[in-house]
Amino acid sequence: MKLYNSLYISENNQQNVAQFINYNTIIEKLSKDKNIEQKYRKKDGTLIKISIQPYS
């Protein structure tokens, strides 16, 4: 994922995405919310949205 982050994600969004995909961060956020989302832009300008929902 680090390689994807450096190759494809815009420099302005790389730190936010890295923090978002951190396993401990995901567990913590899912314990508070049913659904978590992160939006970012790729280097080509494409808008991407990641949505994570707990498994039941």
Side-chain angles (χ1 to χ4, degrees):
M1 194 63 191
K2 290 180 183 180
L3 181 59
Y4 176 84
N5 198 2
S6 64
L7 291 176
Y8 298 107
I9 298 175
S10 72
E11 289 79 13
N12 296 339
N13 291 257
Q14 287 181 4
Q15 185 175 4
N16 292 338
V17 172
Q19 289 173 351
F20 179 78
I21 61 171
N22 178 298
Y23 181 75
N24 293 327
T25 303
I26 291 172
I27 296 296
E28 181 182 324
K29 288 181 179 180
L30 282 176
S31 69
K32 296 175 184 174
D33 298 319
K34 293 181 181 179
N35 185 11
I36 56 174
E37 293 183 346
Q38 175 72 40
K39 293 180 184 177
Y40 67 89
R41 291 215 178 263
K42 291 175 60 177
K43 288 185 178 181
D44 68 3
T46 305
L47 181 63
I48 303 292
K49 181 174 102 173
I50 302 171
S51 179
I52 301 175
Q53 299 172 346
Y55 180 76
S56 58

